[in-house]
């Protein structure tokens, strides 16, 4: 669970806010407003991973999954998300 807490801390420090948690607490959704839409992040305790979803014009949905906290941090820094 510490790993998931670390994922959440990085997300929040990069402007993501909690949106919804499943009743059983296995998934937490976060979002971050952007100029064109909003980025979404899914913290999944069943897979011990985080998936980030974002849209590009012309409204293509992209995603990237992270299993290592430092990789998420590096990607957020590099992309400015």
């Amino acid at each position: 669970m510490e790993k998931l807490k670390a994922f959440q801390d990085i997300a929040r420090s990069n402007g993501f806010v909690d949106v919804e948690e499943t009743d059983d607490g296995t998934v937490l959704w976060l979002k971050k407003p952007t100029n064109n839409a909003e980025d979404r992040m899914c913290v999944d305790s069943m897979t011990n991973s985080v998936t980030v979803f974002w849209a590009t014009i012309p409204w293509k949905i992209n995603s990237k999954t992270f299993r290592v906290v430092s990789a998420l941090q590096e990607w957020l820094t590099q992309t400015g998300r």
Side-chain angles (χ1 to χ4, degrees):
M1 289 308 270
E2 279 304 308
K3 180 178 179 180
L4 297 178
K5 170 100 171 72
F7 277 132
Q8 291 172 36
D9 291 345
I10 288 171
R12 291 180 185 125
S13 70
N14 282 276
F16 284 84
V17 296
D18 294 7
V19 176
E20 182 179 358
E21 186 171 350
T22 57
D23 290 338
D24 62 3
T26 59
V27 173
L28 173 65
W29 282 95
L30 301 101
K31 71 177 181 177
K32 177 181 178 180
T34 64
N35 291 337
N36 299 320
E38 64 186 21
D39 292 349
R40 294 278 180 145
M41 185 179 294
C42 176
V43 179
D44 185 344
S45 67
M46 299 296 284
T47 62
N48 287 317
S49 67
V50 166
T51 302
V52 180
F53 299 89
W54 70 98
T56 55
I57 299 201
W59 301 109
K60 179 182 179 233
I61 303 298
N62 303 285
S63 66
K64 186 159 180 72
T65 299
F66 300 90
R67 298 190 187 285
V68 179
V69 175
S70 60
L72 173 63
Q73 177 65 58
E74 181 179 334
W75 183 80
L76 288 170
T77 300
Q78 288 177 350
T79 62
R81 293 210 118 49

